[in-house]
Amino acid sequence: MSEVSFTTVVGSGLDMSGGSAFVPGDRRIRDYRQGEIAETARAVEDAGFDQALLVYESNWPDTFLVGSEVLAATTRLRTLVAHRPGFHAPTLAARSLATLDRYSGGRAALHVIAGSTDYGQRRDGDFLPKAERYARAEEYLDLLKRELTATEPFDYEGEHYRVRDAFSEIRPVQTPHPTIFSGGSSAEALELAARHTDVYATWGEPLADTAAQIARVRELAAAHGREIGFMSSFRPILGDTEEEAWRRADELRAAAEADGRAKAKRTQQPENEGSRRIVAFSERADRHDRALFLGIARATGSPVNHSALVGTPETVAEALADYHELGVHHFLIMTYGTPAPELGRELLPLARERIAARASAPAGRN
């Protein structure tokens, strides 16, 4: 893995003004213009991003197919394919991942999501309770990785999956397999990451809480004889001055507080532990550490990631370096309306510079 990598979202129905395009019962149809995925992928690659996250939701385009277009349109950009266990056979998903990786020269990765909400799962026909979804995901990843690595046909007998004489003739370029990411803050999610995945992903939390979560996941992984990497997700809000950036942040919070859908979300208890954690941190304070702002999370109930880093590009770059020093080497950068390529050009060179400077500084001089 690289010392630091930056990911942004490409090719989904994500409402980049700050919310999710998916609500229960939504029947809107979006006009996905031919060529827009390729154009966006090339733009974020040119802006310096290392990876494109292809978000999964039960009313959005197929992420493996979107991934093939992203990879065909670019030469360096990696794809992080969000994927929910349970809707594909794990052996089939393994071959899809191997195919993307092989034909892109080793640029595919998988982000496993057991399902943060029941209604999203049910829309695709999955009615298992969350704890059982995680038990299924454990088997799923075990079988998926065996399909990618086994040198001889094999049988598998589990509670959720059973195969006979399974074998894949296509193998990924990356060995033993493409990088597997997973998220979630429940006990089951942490155990899944510790046992099976290479990078544990979470929304941006205060530094002390991030350090504690990293220590917890590392301890769980070590119990299985494994090491694990970490990703944090943020929405930077930039300005030419600190005052301008915070004015923009306050305007976004006010807009969220006035939004009818956000008000409805705010009154509901979040289904997932990650949202509950962020809401608790936001109730403790709107501002944390150097630049973390959770006021928009508080205004919305944080159904999706609303962890903002606010300030000039220099301030936000230093804030990212703070997290890097804790062990976060992967960053998912989302936006509040600013085009991702523009954000990348403003922020990523400074962030890489600050991170490199701290890494080379003598101990105690950071």
Side-chain angles (χ1 to χ4, degrees):
M1 297 179 189
S2 61
E3 180 64 19
V4 62
S5 72
F6 292 96
T7 300
T8 194
V9 173
V10 170
S12 73
L14 198 65
D15 175 3
M16 298 310 285
S17 65
S20 168
F22 173 68
V23 292
D26 191 359
R27 296 294 183 270
R28 291 177 294 169
I29 298 175
R30 176 180 165 186
D31 180 19
Y32 286 89
R33 180 175 56 83
Q34 183 178 6
E36 69 175 327
I37 298 299
E39 291 170 11
T40 304
R42 284 191 289 267
V44 301
E45 180 178 62
D46 291 344
F49 283 98
D50 303 291
Q51 187 167 245
L53 172 63
L54 315 177
V55 181
Y56 182 104
E57 191 46 272
S58 56
N59 58 335
W60 291 352
D62 180 272
T63 50
F64 280 109
L65 295 178
V66 173
S68 67
E69 184 168 0
V70 169
L71 291 168
T74 57
T75 60
R76 180 187 56 80
L77 193 70
R78 297 170 57 84
T79 58
L80 180 54
V81 177
H83 180 71
R84 289 188 183 175
F87 300 118
H88 295 73
T91 50
L92 173 60
R95 296 195 301 279
S96 296
L97 180 62
T99 302
L100 281 182
D101 199 60
R102 173 60 56 181
Y103 283 96
S104 67
R107 292 189 286 136
L110 192 72
H111 182 53
V112 176
I113 307 167
S116 59
T117 63
D118 288 339
Y119 61 74
Q121 295 294 121
R122 290 169 182 170
R123 206 173 205 188
D124 278 334
D126 182 15
F127 287 79
L128 282 183
K130 182 177 287 188
E132 292 184 36
R133 293 202 296 267
Y134 275 106
R136 179 180 62 191
E138 292 252 6
E139 283 189 18
Y140 190 98
L141 286 176
D142 187 26
L143 185 47
L144 179 144
K145 289 192 290 186
R146 288 187 66 179
E147 179 81 355
L148 291 172
T149 59
T151 58
E152 298 288 342
F154 66 92
D155 298 340
Y156 186 94
E157 189 83 33
E159 181 180 350
H160 298 277
Y161 298 104
R162 182 175 61 178
V163 299
R164 292 288 179 269
D165 205 38
F167 186 75
S168 175
E169 70 172 28
I170 185 166
R171 295 305 167 98
V173 172
Q174 300 175 76
T175 57
H177 51 71
T179 304
I180 300 175
F181 293 65
S182 70
S185 297
S186 66
E188 295 91 346
L190 299 189
E191 183 63 21
L192 180 73
R195 288 175 60 90
H196 288 288
T197 65
D198 305 300
V199 178
Y200 171 69
T202 187
W203 297 342
E205 299 184 351
L207 289 168
D209 300 283
T210 299
Q213 192 78 321
I214 286 174
R216 183 182 179 192
V217 175
R218 278 180 173 159
E219 183 179 1
L220 289 170
H224 298 289
R226 304 182 68 247
E227 295 182 354
I228 192 167
F230 297 90
M231 170 186 269
S232 288
S233 174
F234 299 98
R235 293 179 186 260
I237 302 173
L238 305 181
D240 292 334
T241 65
E242 298 294 320
E243 292 76 15
E244 179 186 350
W246 282 105
R247 183 170 63 253
R248 289 179 178 175
D250 287 335
E251 289 171 353
L252 285 164
R253 171 171 53 186
E257 289 173 343
D259 182 82
R261 192 172 70 179
K263 286 181 181 178
K265 291 282 189 183
R266 195 163 60 239
T267 62
Q268 301 170 6
Q269 174 71 8
E271 286 190 51
N272 66 84
E273 181 62 23
S275 291
R276 289 193 287 268
R277 284 174 63 90
I278 294 295
V279 169
F281 297 141
S282 73
E283 291 173 346
R284 195 167 75 196
D286 277 354
R287 299 187 184 189
H288 299 261
D289 307 315
R290 188 190 302 268
L292 182 64
F293 178 55
L294 299 180
I296 301 168
R298 186 173 185 178
T300 60
S302 198
V304 296
N305 176 38
H306 285 286
S307 300
L309 291 176
V310 182
T312 64
E314 291 79 7
T315 296
V316 173
E318 292 286 2
L320 291 170
D322 293 338
Y323 285 91
H324 186 269
E325 285 194 320
L326 298 180
V328 178
H329 288 185
H330 304 265
F331 293 97
L332 172 58
I333 303 297
M334 303 172 72
T335 85
Y336 282 119
T338 304
E342 178 182 327
L343 189 61
R345 287 189 292 270
E346 285 189 68
L347 180 60
L348 300 194
L350 284 170
R352 289 191 172 99
E353 176 185 297
R354 298 299 192 273
I355 288 168
R358 292 204 199 178
S360 63
R365 295 285 300 277
N366 294 342

